Amino acid sequence: VPAIDPDTLIFRDKTQRSGFEKVLYFAEAFEVDATPDNYGEWESLAAGTVVWRLYVSAPGATDINIGFTDIFLPAGCSLYLTAPQEYYQIGPFTEDDNTDYRQLWTPVLPGDLILIEAEMPIDSAGQFVLTVGQVNSGYRDLFNMGLISADKQQGWCNIDVICPEADGWRDDIRSVGRYSRGGTALCTGNLVMNQRGDFIAYFLTAAHCVSTSSAAATVVVYWNYESPTCGALSGGSLGQYQSGSTLRATHSGSDFTLLELNAMPESSFNVYYAGWDRSGNGANVSVCIHHPRGKEKAISFEDDPIESTAYLSETVDPNASHWRVVDWDIGTTEGGSSGSGLWNAATQRIVGQLHGGYAACGNDLSDWYGKFSVSWTGGGTSASRLRDWLDPDNTGVIGMDGGDPNAGADLEMPVSRLLVLAIVVFSAMSTGIAAMKRKDGLN
């Protein structure tokens, strides 16, 4: 694909894409159309196996990711992507990664050259479908290889989540993921609980990051991308990832989107599902956990009450759609932080997600978060509100605590709902006892 100059593209973003919303653009997209019919080479291996290989060169790129815009991997097929100069590999992708929408978007690989390899039984080769539809040439040095200047990394005031300041938030930190959209932009999102506590992989983020089904298909989430040392603001691993999601609901009024990830995160990722509060009550102390400039996970603290205002407004209005964080006392947010949750520190429940603002290291300016309570009813339909997905049984639940997939979850449930459940259980027990008595000829 054509060569790029990272410094030129970073300058372009700063002058043309600067704004209040905190998305970070990290790659230049090039549309291509490479299939096994017109690109790459086939090779026959031993024992009835064949392999197809394709090199992708992206001069000047600090990293590369691929959008397979039409893909079907038959049984026995393994797809790998390798950055040979960096000794870095991702995969295997297999038939388990096939989707109804027949796309696969990959995580990033370091450097400007990658190798795509698909190995399969020769009998399956006729079913193999693969189109490299988009090559995304990175210019933000996502692997921190020193390819761009340090002042273009995350801000100095950010607090790594490994630091002592985050000790009370160890569970919630695990709910936060960095993700890419379309192979070119980075935002932040949160796994959130639903009323049934069945750990469906619902992922809350911002509508300005993802708001269409086509964009949802391109999502790649990275888990546990964190600095191993407090204060390093670097050193994290991008090795834990998953690809693909389905749009469930979105609404511009409160700038929320709810995605359902294509699969539950692997158990080895040790994720957590965050709790939430739809009451509309504010917070006296607030916390945000996010990926500033798309880099390692950080935590920020606001020690003053948040305010109810319209987006980018300082006028207090109890019926407004957003929460205003007046100024961060510890840390900040940056590009890449969009979509990250705002927690009420007292309850450790999410009350909103980041829409945008002016906050940065070295200033005392504000950020605005779309209210969870407004998103609950959204635009009044299942495709534009949270209620149908996070309270599928329509219990009227006001809030939920977070939960670990391996340890269950706590649920606030109205007394009326508990009474109904008790009656159902008692009725079932009575019916079962009566049936046993009839079977045994007892009165």
Side-chain angles (χ1 to χ4, degrees):
V1 296
I4 65 165
D5 178 62
D7 287 334
T8 298
L9 294 174
I10 291 173
F11 179 76
R12 177 203 63 187
D13 289 353
K14 184 176 182 180
T15 56
Q16 298 180 15
R17 287 175 167 167
S18 60
F20 312 125
E21 295 172 344
K22 297 193 172 184
V23 181
L24 185 81
Y25 293 92
F26 73 95
E28 189 77 350
F30 295 100
E31 292 187 4
V32 296
D33 184 18
T35 73
D37 293 331
N38 58 11
Y39 280 89
E41 294 182 349
W42 286 96
E43 180 183 352
S44 296
L45 305 179
T49 301
V50 294
V51 61
W52 175 76
R53 297 187 181 94
L54 174 69
Y55 280 96
V56 177
S57 174
T62 61
D63 40 75
I64 301 174
N65 71 88
I66 301 293
F68 296 112
T69 53
D70 187 23
I71 187 169
F72 178 80
L73 303 179
C77 180
S78 296
L79 175 69
Y80 290 90
L81 285 79
T82 305
Q85 297 168 327
E86 308 297 335
Y87 304 100
Y88 190 94
Q89 185 177 77
I90 60 174
F93 300 98
T94 68
E95 61 179 322
D96 292 338
D97 295 291
N98 291 330
T99 62
D100 292 339
Y101 50 81
R102 291 173 66 96
Q103 295 184 45
L104 176 65
W105 293 72
T106 77
V108 290
L109 292 92
D112 62 1
L113 178 70
I114 65 170
L115 170 64
I116 301 172
E117 290 183 290
E119 184 175 328
M120 68 205 77
I122 191 170
D123 294 340
S124 299
Q127 304 170 47
F128 174 60
V129 177
L130 182 145
T131 298
V132 180
Q134 190 166 304
V135 175
N136 303 303
S137 297
Y139 53 83
R140 294 276 182 181
D141 191 14
L142 297 188
F143 286 87
N144 298 319
M145 297 191 295
L147 301 177
I148 62 175
S149 59
D151 64 351
K152 294 168 184 171
Q153 305 291 349
Q154 64 170 297
W156 56 268
C157 71
N158 286 299
I159 306 298
D160 287 319
V161 293
I162 194 66
C163 293
E165 291 92 332
D167 280 348
W169 295 87
R170 294 294 159 210
D171 286 338
D172 294 297
I173 287 167
R174 293 154 48 205
S175 73
V176 179
R178 185 192 85 169
Y179 71 93
S180 60
R181 175 214 69 206
T184 62
L186 293 173
C187 288
T188 302
N190 284 89
L191 284 171
V192 289
M193 288 292 291
N194 72 6
Q195 157 261 325
R196 292 176 181 169
D198 53 8
F199 298 105
I200 294 175
Y202 289 135
F203 191 72
L204 179 69
T205 187
H208 73 268
C209 292
V210 176
S211 61
T212 65
S213 295
S214 58
T218 71
V219 163
V220 179
V221 183
Y222 300 83
W223 300 109
N224 301 309
Y225 180 44
E226 303 166 11
S227 297
T229 306
C230 178
L233 302 179
S234 62
S237 170
L238 295 172
Q240 296 183 349
Y241 56 82
Q242 64 184 100
S243 181
S245 70
T246 300
L247 180 69
R248 291 306 183 201
T250 186
H251 183 57
S252 61
S254 55
D255 190 54
F256 93 89
T257 285
L258 186 71
L259 304 173
E260 182 178 343
L261 305 182
N262 281 357
M264 285 187 64
E266 294 183 18
S267 59
S268 61
F269 297 171
N270 192 33
V271 299
Y272 186 80
Y273 287 65
W276 45 263
D277 176 4
R278 72 169 184 90
S279 67
N281 296 326
N284 292 323
V285 178
S286 305
V287 166
C288 177
I289 305 168
H290 56 107
H291 286 274
R293 293 203 197 179
K295 296 298 183 178
E296 284 80 354
K297 198 180 299 180
I299 189 167
S300 304
F301 295 87
E302 165 63 301
D303 295 333
D304 299 307
I306 55 178
E307 297 177 349
S308 176
T309 73
Y311 181 47
L312 301 180
S313 170
E314 297 182 5
T315 302
V316 175
D317 175 3
N319 298 315
S321 59
H322 283 66
W323 293 118
R324 177 192 176 210
V325 172
V326 177
D327 65 272
W328 292 107
D329 294 293
I330 300 176
T332 190
T333 62
E334 301 185 82
S337 301
S338 274
S340 54
L342 182 69
W343 274 267
N344 181 332
T347 62
Q348 292 198 279
R349 292 174 173 178
I350 288 176
V351 296
Q353 74 289 324
L354 180 60
H355 190 165
Y358 313 101
C361 289
N363 72 31
D364 291 323
L365 301 180
S366 300
D367 277 333
W368 283 262
Y369 291 73
K371 287 184 179 180
F372 196 99
S373 57
V374 173
S375 302
W376 189 257
T377 53
T381 66
S382 63
S384 62
R385 65 188 178 202
L386 291 173
R387 188 188 75 188
D388 302 66
W389 309 99
L390 301 187
D391 187 13
D393 296 325
N394 197 25
T395 64
V397 62
I398 299 298
M400 291 195 66
D401 289 336
D404 190 306
N406 299 315
D410 294 325
L411 168 65
E412 277 188 8
M413 187 176 291
V415 172
S416 59
R417 175 67 174 165
L418 289 172
L419 289 173
V420 170
L421 287 176
I423 292 169
V424 170
V425 171
F426 179 79
S427 175
M429 292 176 62
S430 300
T431 301
I433 293 170
M436 286 188 291
K437 286 183 176 180
R438 288 195 299 271
K439 181 178 180 181
D440 294 336
L442 302 175
N443 295 321

